[in-house]
Amino acid sequence: MTEQELLAKLYSDLFNGSPWIDVNIMSTLEEITAKEAATKVFPNFNSIWEIVNHQIRWRDTVMKRMNGEEVESPEDNYFSYIRDRSENAWQQTREQFLQSQEQWLQQLGKWKKKELE
């Protein structure tokens, strides 16, 4: 198994497969309501929804950088306020996360071992 294949398997298992910890990200997020996802347990902590958005935007930036594009990290470090807190918006965010996972796995397969190092 190549490094790319191993990384893809690990990312896949953790995201929506059967990782060694017996839970995966998407199954967990499917059980969380929009209200729960948007809730901040403490004022200075990020909500689940903000963390999911952070991951989506972070992945996009890493992929752009790996393809030679210069991208600066924003002041908010990819953590932005959730304006639309509806169930529909939460579903759309989960779908975007799934799309980012698919793009991430495709990109992993393209990177050479030297680029991964």
PDB file of all heavy atoms in Angstrom, residues 81-102:
ATOM      1  N   TYR A  81     -18.665  33.208  12.246  1.00  0.00           N
ATOM      2  CA  TYR A  81     -19.966  33.172  12.914  1.00  0.00           C
ATOM      3  C   TYR A  81     -21.009  32.487  12.017  1.00  0.00           C
ATOM      4  O   TYR A  81     -21.044  32.718  10.809  1.00  0.00           O
ATOM      5  CB  TYR A  81     -20.400  34.605  13.240  1.00  0.00           C
ATOM      6  CG  TYR A  81     -21.741  34.707  13.916  1.00  0.00           C
ATOM      7  CD1 TYR A  81     -21.875  34.409  15.261  1.00  0.00           C
ATOM      8  CD2 TYR A  81     -22.866  35.096  13.193  1.00  0.00           C
ATOM      9  CE1 TYR A  81     -23.105  34.492  15.886  1.00  0.00           C
ATOM     10  CE2 TYR A  81     -24.106  35.183  13.808  1.00  0.00           C
ATOM     11  CZ  TYR A  81     -24.213  34.876  15.156  1.00  0.00           C
ATOM     12  OH  TYR A  81     -25.434  34.955  15.766  1.00  0.00           O
ATOM     13  N   ILE A  82     -21.847  31.664  12.604  1.00  0.00           N
ATOM     14  CA  ILE A  82     -22.914  30.977  11.874  1.00  0.00           C
ATOM     15  C   ILE A  82     -24.138  31.888  11.849  1.00  0.00           C
ATOM     16  O   ILE A  82     -24.755  32.144  12.878  1.00  0.00           O
ATOM     17  CB  ILE A  82     -23.274  29.630  12.552  1.00  0.00           C
ATOM     18  CG1 ILE A  82     -22.033  28.768  12.767  1.00  0.00           C
ATOM     19  CG2 ILE A  82     -24.340  28.904  11.743  1.00  0.00           C
ATOM     20  CD1 ILE A  82     -21.273  28.417  11.529  1.00  0.00           C
ATOM     21  N   ARG A  83     -24.486  32.378  10.679  1.00  0.00           N
ATOM     22  CA  ARG A  83     -25.628  33.291  10.553  1.00  0.00           C
ATOM     23  C   ARG A  83     -26.947  32.528  10.420  1.00  0.00           C
ATOM     24  O   ARG A  83     -27.906  32.815  11.112  1.00  0.00           O
ATOM     25  CB  ARG A  83     -25.433  34.214   9.366  1.00  0.00           C
ATOM     26  CG  ARG A  83     -24.301  35.208   9.585  1.00  0.00           C
ATOM     27  CD  ARG A  83     -24.103  36.134   8.419  1.00  0.00           C
ATOM     28  NE  ARG A  83     -22.992  37.031   8.350  1.00  0.00           N
ATOM     29  CZ  ARG A  83     -22.034  37.285   9.193  1.00  0.00           C
ATOM     30  NH1 ARG A  83     -21.988  36.677  10.309  1.00  0.00           N
ATOM     31  NH2 ARG A  83     -21.081  38.140   8.970  1.00  0.00           N
ATOM     32  N   ASP A  84     -26.995  31.597   9.502  1.00  0.00           N
ATOM     33  CA  ASP A  84     -28.211  30.800   9.287  1.00  0.00           C
ATOM     34  C   ASP A  84     -28.078  29.521  10.100  1.00  0.00           C
ATOM     35  O   ASP A  84     -27.258  28.666   9.794  1.00  0.00           O
ATOM     36  CB  ASP A  84     -28.378  30.487   7.798  1.00  0.00           C
ATOM     37  CG  ASP A  84     -29.642  29.697   7.493  1.00  0.00           C
ATOM     38  OD1 ASP A  84     -30.354  29.279   8.433  1.00  0.00           O
ATOM     39  OD2 ASP A  84     -29.913  29.485   6.291  1.00  0.00           O
ATOM     40  N   ARG A  85     -28.882  29.405  11.146  1.00  0.00           N
ATOM     41  CA  ARG A  85     -28.789  28.259  12.059  1.00  0.00           C
ATOM     42  C   ARG A  85     -29.923  27.260  11.859  1.00  0.00           C
ATOM     43  O   ARG A  85     -30.260  26.508  12.763  1.00  0.00           O
ATOM     44  CB  ARG A  85     -28.774  28.770  13.500  1.00  0.00           C
ATOM     45  CG  ARG A  85     -27.546  29.593  13.789  1.00  0.00           C
ATOM     46  CD  ARG A  85     -27.645  30.322  15.112  1.00  0.00           C
ATOM     47  NE  ARG A  85     -26.434  31.069  15.340  1.00  0.00           N
ATOM     48  CZ  ARG A  85     -25.664  30.916  16.409  1.00  0.00           C
ATOM     49  NH1 ARG A  85     -26.007  30.091  17.362  1.00  0.00           N
ATOM     50  NH2 ARG A  85     -24.569  31.623  16.522  1.00  0.00           N
ATOM     51  N   SER A  86     -30.468  27.246  10.666  1.00  0.00           N
ATOM     52  CA  SER A  86     -31.583  26.335  10.370  1.00  0.00           C
ATOM     53  C   SER A  86     -31.085  24.912  10.135  1.00  0.00           C
ATOM     54  O   SER A  86     -29.899  24.689   9.851  1.00  0.00           O
ATOM     55  CB  SER A  86     -32.337  26.822   9.133  1.00  0.00           C
ATOM     56  OG  SER A  86     -31.527  26.690   7.978  1.00  0.00           O
ATOM     57  N   GLU A  87     -32.003  23.962  10.250  1.00  0.00           N
ATOM     58  CA  GLU A  87     -31.665  22.560   9.975  1.00  0.00           C
ATOM     59  C   GLU A  87     -31.205  22.408   8.526  1.00  0.00           C
ATOM     60  O   GLU A  87     -30.284  21.641   8.243  1.00  0.00           O
ATOM     61  CB  GLU A  87     -32.854  21.639  10.263  1.00  0.00           C
ATOM     62  CG  GLU A  87     -33.143  21.436  11.738  1.00  0.00           C
ATOM     63  CD  GLU A  87     -32.023  20.729  12.512  1.00  0.00           C
ATOM     64  OE1 GLU A  87     -31.239  19.954  11.927  1.00  0.00           O
ATOM     65  OE2 GLU A  87     -31.927  20.977  13.730  1.00  0.00           O
ATOM     66  N   ASN A  88     -31.839  23.153   7.625  1.00  0.00           N
ATOM     67  CA  ASN A  88     -31.461  23.078   6.212  1.00  0.00           C
ATOM     68  C   ASN A  88     -30.016  23.545   6.012  1.00  0.00           C
ATOM     69  O   ASN A  88     -29.249  22.929   5.280  1.00  0.00           O
ATOM     70  CB  ASN A  88     -32.426  23.905   5.355  1.00  0.00           C
ATOM     71  CG  ASN A  88     -32.164  23.727   3.889  1.00  0.00           C
ATOM     72  OD1 ASN A  88     -32.009  22.611   3.400  1.00  0.00           O
ATOM     73  ND2 ASN A  88     -32.107  24.829   3.167  1.00  0.00           N
ATOM     74  N   ALA A  89     -29.654  24.633   6.662  1.00  0.00           N
ATOM     75  CA  ALA A  89     -28.289  25.151   6.555  1.00  0.00           C
ATOM     76  C   ALA A  89     -27.287  24.164   7.147  1.00  0.00           C
ATOM     77  O   ALA A  89     -26.194  23.972   6.605  1.00  0.00           O
ATOM     78  CB  ALA A  89     -28.179  26.507   7.241  1.00  0.00           C
ATOM     79  N   TRP A  90     -27.650  23.516   8.241  1.00  0.00           N
ATOM     80  CA  TRP A  90     -26.774  22.520   8.868  1.00  0.00           C
ATOM     81  C   TRP A  90     -26.594  21.326   7.922  1.00  0.00           C
ATOM     82  O   TRP A  90     -25.497  20.819   7.751  1.00  0.00           O
ATOM     83  CB  TRP A  90     -27.332  22.108  10.222  1.00  0.00           C
ATOM     84  CG  TRP A  90     -26.613  21.010  10.941  1.00  0.00           C
ATOM     85  CD1 TRP A  90     -27.188  19.902  11.502  1.00  0.00           C
ATOM     86  CD2 TRP A  90     -25.207  20.897  11.239  1.00  0.00           C
ATOM     87  NE1 TRP A  90     -26.236  19.121  12.105  1.00  0.00           N
ATOM     88  CE2 TRP A  90     -25.005  19.713  11.962  1.00  0.00           C
ATOM     89  CE3 TRP A  90     -24.106  21.680  10.949  1.00  0.00           C
ATOM     90  CZ2 TRP A  90     -23.753  19.284  12.395  1.00  0.00           C
ATOM     91  CZ3 TRP A  90     -22.848  21.264  11.374  1.00  0.00           C
ATOM     92  CH2 TRP A  90     -22.681  20.085  12.094  1.00  0.00           C
ATOM     93  N   GLN A  91     -27.673  20.908   7.276  1.00  0.00           N
ATOM     94  CA  GLN A  91     -27.594  19.821   6.301  1.00  0.00           C
ATOM     95  C   GLN A  91     -26.671  20.216   5.146  1.00  0.00           C
ATOM     96  O   GLN A  91     -25.852  19.410   4.697  1.00  0.00           O
ATOM     97  CB  GLN A  91     -28.990  19.463   5.772  1.00  0.00           C
ATOM     98  CG  GLN A  91     -28.990  18.402   4.681  1.00  0.00           C
ATOM     99  CD  GLN A  91     -28.454  17.058   5.135  1.00  0.00           C
ATOM    100  OE1 GLN A  91     -28.621  16.669   6.276  1.00  0.00           O
ATOM    101  NE2 GLN A  91     -27.787  16.365   4.239  1.00  0.00           N
ATOM    102  N   GLN A  92     -26.794  21.441   4.679  1.00  0.00           N
ATOM    103  CA  GLN A  92     -25.938  21.917   3.589  1.00  0.00           C
ATOM    104  C   GLN A  92     -24.470  21.932   4.001  1.00  0.00           C
ATOM    105  O   GLN A  92     -23.592  21.578   3.213  1.00  0.00           O
ATOM    106  CB  GLN A  92     -26.371  23.310   3.130  1.00  0.00           C
ATOM    107  CG  GLN A  92     -27.669  23.312   2.372  1.00  0.00           C
ATOM    108  CD  GLN A  92     -28.132  24.723   2.018  1.00  0.00           C
ATOM    109  OE1 GLN A  92     -27.455  25.712   2.319  1.00  0.00           O
ATOM    110  NE2 GLN A  92     -29.284  24.812   1.373  1.00  0.00           N
ATOM    111  N   THR A  93     -24.204  22.312   5.242  1.00  0.00           N
ATOM    112  CA  THR A  93     -22.829  22.313   5.741  1.00  0.00           C
ATOM    113  C   THR A  93     -22.276  20.894   5.768  1.00  0.00           C
ATOM    114  O   THR A  93     -21.133  20.655   5.357  1.00  0.00           O
ATOM    115  CB  THR A  93     -22.748  22.946   7.146  1.00  0.00           C
ATOM    116  OG1 THR A  93     -23.167  24.308   7.056  1.00  0.00           O
ATOM    117  CG2 THR A  93     -21.342  22.879   7.721  1.00  0.00           C
ATOM    118  N   ARG A  94     -23.071  19.938   6.227  1.00  0.00           N
ATOM    119  CA  ARG A  94     -22.617  18.540   6.238  1.00  0.00           C
ATOM    120  C   ARG A  94     -22.364  18.039   4.821  1.00  0.00           C
ATOM    121  O   ARG A  94     -21.402  17.300   4.582  1.00  0.00           O
ATOM    122  CB  ARG A  94     -23.614  17.660   6.983  1.00  0.00           C
ATOM    123  CG  ARG A  94     -23.668  17.954   8.486  1.00  0.00           C
ATOM    124  CD  ARG A  94     -24.434  16.908   9.285  1.00  0.00           C
ATOM    125  NE  ARG A  94     -25.706  16.544   8.709  1.00  0.00           N
ATOM    126  CZ  ARG A  94     -26.901  16.967   9.144  1.00  0.00           C
ATOM    127  NH1 ARG A  94     -26.971  17.794  10.170  1.00  0.00           N
ATOM    128  NH2 ARG A  94     -28.005  16.563   8.582  1.00  0.00           N
ATOM    129  N   GLU A  95     -23.192  18.450   3.875  1.00  0.00           N
ATOM    130  CA  GLU A  95     -22.988  18.060   2.479  1.00  0.00           C
ATOM    131  C   GLU A  95     -21.702  18.687   1.924  1.00  0.00           C
ATOM    132  O   GLU A  95     -20.956  18.027   1.194  1.00  0.00           O
ATOM    133  CB  GLU A  95     -24.199  18.454   1.632  1.00  0.00           C
ATOM    134  CG  GLU A  95     -25.411  17.585   1.896  1.00  0.00           C
ATOM    135  CD  GLU A  95     -26.678  18.078   1.217  1.00  0.00           C
ATOM    136  OE1 GLU A  95     -26.599  18.959   0.325  1.00  0.00           O
ATOM    137  OE2 GLU A  95     -27.760  17.584   1.575  1.00  0.00           O
ATOM    138  N   GLN A  96     -21.446  19.941   2.283  1.00  0.00           N
ATOM    139  CA  GLN A  96     -20.194  20.587   1.863  1.00  0.00           C
ATOM    140  C   GLN A  96     -18.992  19.858   2.463  1.00  0.00           C
ATOM    141  O   GLN A  96     -17.953  19.712   1.818  1.00  0.00           O
ATOM    142  CB  GLN A  96     -20.170  22.052   2.302  1.00  0.00           C
ATOM    143  CG  GLN A  96     -21.089  22.946   1.527  1.00  0.00           C
ATOM    144  CD  GLN A  96     -21.105  24.358   2.101  1.00  0.00           C
ATOM    145  OE1 GLN A  96     -20.828  24.575   3.288  1.00  0.00           O
ATOM    146  NE2 GLN A  96     -21.433  25.321   1.262  1.00  0.00           N
ATOM    147  N   PHE A  97     -19.140  19.412   3.699  1.00  0.00           N
ATOM    148  CA  PHE A  97     -18.071  18.681   4.369  1.00  0.00           C
ATOM    149  C   PHE A  97     -17.811  17.365   3.630  1.00  0.00           C
ATOM    150  O   PHE A  97     -16.655  16.995   3.391  1.00  0.00           O
ATOM    151  CB  PHE A  97     -18.456  18.446   5.826  1.00  0.00           C
ATOM    152  CG  PHE A  97     -17.328  18.061   6.741  1.00  0.00           C
ATOM    153  CD1 PHE A  97     -16.015  18.433   6.500  1.00  0.00           C
ATOM    154  CD2 PHE A  97     -17.591  17.341   7.892  1.00  0.00           C
ATOM    155  CE1 PHE A  97     -14.990  18.084   7.367  1.00  0.00           C
ATOM    156  CE2 PHE A  97     -16.582  16.987   8.770  1.00  0.00           C
ATOM    157  CZ  PHE A  97     -15.274  17.359   8.505  1.00  0.00           C
ATOM    158  N   LEU A  98     -18.858  16.686   3.248  1.00  0.00           N
ATOM    159  CA  LEU A  98     -18.728  15.441   2.487  1.00  0.00           C
ATOM    160  C   LEU A  98     -18.046  15.712   1.142  1.00  0.00           C
ATOM    161  O   LEU A  98     -17.149  14.960   0.734  1.00  0.00           O
ATOM    162  CB  LEU A  98     -20.095  14.792   2.284  1.00  0.00           C
ATOM    163  CG  LEU A  98     -20.111  13.456   1.554  1.00  0.00           C
ATOM    164  CD1 LEU A  98     -19.259  12.418   2.252  1.00  0.00           C
ATOM    165  CD2 LEU A  98     -21.549  12.962   1.418  1.00  0.00           C
ATOM    166  N   GLN A  99     -18.435  16.774   0.470  1.00  0.00           N
ATOM    167  CA  GLN A  99     -17.794  17.136  -0.800  1.00  0.00           C
ATOM    168  C   GLN A  99     -16.317  17.456  -0.595  1.00  0.00           C
ATOM    169  O   GLN A  99     -15.475  17.069  -1.403  1.00  0.00           O
ATOM    170  CB  GLN A  99     -18.497  18.331  -1.440  1.00  0.00           C
ATOM    171  CG  GLN A  99     -19.864  18.002  -1.979  1.00  0.00           C
ATOM    172  CD  GLN A  99     -20.631  19.254  -2.409  1.00  0.00           C
ATOM    173  OE1 GLN A  99     -20.146  20.377  -2.306  1.00  0.00           O
ATOM    174  NE2 GLN A  99     -21.850  19.050  -2.884  1.00  0.00           N
ATOM    175  N   SER A 100     -16.005  18.151   0.496  1.00  0.00           N
ATOM    176  CA  SER A 100     -14.607  18.476   0.763  1.00  0.00           C
ATOM    177  C   SER A 100     -13.809  17.206   1.035  1.00  0.00           C
ATOM    178  O   SER A 100     -12.643  17.110   0.666  1.00  0.00           O
ATOM    179  CB  SER A 100     -14.465  19.478   1.912  1.00  0.00           C
ATOM    180  OG  SER A 100     -14.506  18.865   3.171  1.00  0.00           O
ATOM    181  N   GLN A 101     -14.442  16.225   1.658  1.00  0.00           N
ATOM    182  CA  GLN A 101     -13.782  14.940   1.904  1.00  0.00           C
ATOM    183  C   GLN A 101     -13.464  14.254   0.577  1.00  0.00           C
ATOM    184  O   GLN A 101     -12.362  13.746   0.381  1.00  0.00           O
ATOM    185  CB  GLN A 101     -14.669  14.037   2.775  1.00  0.00           C
ATOM    186  CG  GLN A 101     -14.177  12.620   2.944  1.00  0.00           C
ATOM    187  CD  GLN A 101     -12.961  12.489   3.831  1.00  0.00           C
ATOM    188  OE1 GLN A 101     -12.462  13.461   4.384  1.00  0.00           O
ATOM    189  NE2 GLN A 101     -12.479  11.273   3.994  1.00  0.00           N
ATOM    190  N   GLU A 102     -14.416  14.247  -0.331  1.00  0.00           N
ATOM    191  CA  GLU A 102     -14.206  13.616  -1.632  1.00  0.00           C
ATOM    192  C   GLU A 102     -13.083  14.316  -2.400  1.00  0.00           C
ATOM    193  O   GLU A 102     -12.213  13.662  -2.980  1.00  0.00           O
ATOM    194  CB  GLU A 102     -15.508  13.624  -2.427  1.00  0.00           C
ATOM    195  CG  GLU A 102     -16.565  12.709  -1.835  1.00  0.00           C
ATOM    196  CD  GLU A 102     -17.964  12.917  -2.395  1.00  0.00           C
ATOM    197  OE1 GLU A 102     -18.136  13.786  -3.291  1.00  0.00           O
ATOM    198  OE2 GLU A 102     -18.885  12.218  -1.947  1.00  0.00           O
TER     199      GLU A 102
END
